[in-house]
Amino acid sequence: MTISKTNINKIKGVIFDLDGVLIHTDKLHFQAWKKLADSIHVYFDEKINERLRGVSRMASLKIILEKAENQFSETEKELLAAEKNETYKELLKTLTPSDISQDVRQTLKNLREKGLKLAVGSSSKNAKYILSYTELSDALDAVSDGNNIAKSKPDPEVFLKAAEFLGLSPQECLVVEDAEAGIEAAKAGGFTAVGIGSAARDARADYSIIKLSDLEKILENAE
């Protein structure tokens, strides 16, 4: 599926999911969830970890606890999620600017030079930590994350807030996502969805790209 040249000319902003699009911290999430799962004697592996892509912390915990023999109260679940997050935040401190690829940095620079407004739309409550540790904050005009939303993807709230922060309508924004839940959220919100990584195979995506710099070709050559 493509959109017309007229519509592509209306694009004034790009909203990026963070993890899996601008940076890859999958291994850190896995390490943090694995430590928690081991502590409560619940089986957890890379295959289960894949199911957590693009969903909130509490939704991820619910998936992990599917294999739990014990029942946990809502209070206990909140404590488990907080424990995982503390582990993850400690692991985030190992991030450096070198964890952002040159392709990503150059693409953000090029898009800004074209006059586009750029934002992050992430369900993570740690997005600003990640942007700070990797020195990516100044490359963006706005950040919408888990701290300013009530509903996680596939609800479109995080992207709608990002567009609002940019002063743009959904029809004026591209959303770049690597997760099916993110593509679903983008389409539900009325955005043009661009799939990368595993989401590049999602039939609901308007465009599919291999690397972030491919966005420039879409903006220049879409018909």
Side-chain angles (χ1 to χ4, degrees):
M1 184 188 299
T2 59
I3 56 178
S4 69
K5 185 71 173 177
T6 301
N7 285 337
I8 207 70
N9 283 338
K10 291 181 180 179
I11 297 298
K12 297 178 180 178
V14 184
I15 302 169
F16 304 92
D17 178 40
L18 182 56
D19 201 3
V21 176
L22 299 184
I23 188 173
H24 297 274
T25 65
D26 287 6
K27 63 181 180 181
L28 304 185
H29 275 295
F30 176 76
Q31 290 170 23
W33 282 123
K34 178 65 173 170
K35 181 179 179 181
L36 178 72
D38 288 348
S39 73
I40 57 176
H41 309 291
V42 172
Y43 180 77
F44 182 68
D45 61 14
E46 288 87 348
K47 186 175 181 180
I48 299 172
N49 192 57
E50 278 294 309
R51 295 175 58 198
L52 312 185
R53 296 172 68 85
V55 300
S56 70
R57 192 183 308 154
M58 294 306 295
S60 295
L61 179 62
K62 182 178 180 181
I63 291 170
I64 291 169
L65 294 182
E66 288 174 356
K67 294 185 175 293
E69 293 182 2
N70 299 328
Q71 296 294 315
F72 295 88
S73 68
E74 290 305 311
T75 299
E76 288 172 327
K77 290 176 183 177
E78 291 285 349
L79 290 172
L80 290 174
E83 180 181 337
K84 180 268 176 181
N85 191 49
E86 288 306 310
T87 300
Y88 179 62
K89 284 168 67 175
E90 284 301 311
L91 292 170
L92 286 179
K93 293 178 182 178
T94 66
L95 293 175
T96 70
S98 65
D99 287 297
I100 303 296
S101 72
Q102 184 58 35
D103 181 76
V104 167
R105 288 196 187 277
Q106 190 63 47
T107 299
L108 296 179
K109 181 176 182 290
N110 292 348
L111 293 178
R112 255 196 167 171
E113 288 177 350
K114 294 177 188 296
L116 291 163
K117 295 183 178 180
L118 309 180
V120 157
S122 170
S123 296
S124 172
K125 292 185 177 182
N126 297 305
K128 290 177 182 176
Y129 290 114
I130 295 171
L131 295 172
S132 175
Y133 294 141
T134 57
E135 297 181 6
L136 204 59
S137 302
D138 290 344
L140 301 159
D141 299 293
V143 176
S144 176
D145 62 17
N147 295 298
N148 61 248
I149 59 172
K151 299 177 182 178
S152 296
K153 304 169 192 176
D155 189 278
E157 183 182 12
V158 72
F159 295 139
L160 292 172
K161 285 287 187 182
E164 179 185 331
F165 294 160
L166 292 176
L168 301 174
S169 69
Q171 291 72 29
E172 294 175 307
C173 299
L174 295 179
V175 167
V176 186
E177 261 287 352
D178 74 314
E180 291 183 0
I183 296 294
E184 183 177 345
K187 298 306 296 178
F191 297 88
T192 297
V194 180
I196 193 171
S198 60
R201 300 187 296 272
D202 194 318
R204 296 168 296 183
D206 298 289
Y207 292 97
S208 298
I209 60 175
I210 296 174
K211 58 186 184 301
L212 206 65
S213 54
D214 292 338
L215 276 177
E216 297 181 62
K217 299 174 185 176
I218 290 174
L219 290 164
E220 291 172 359
N221 302 320
E223 297 179 351

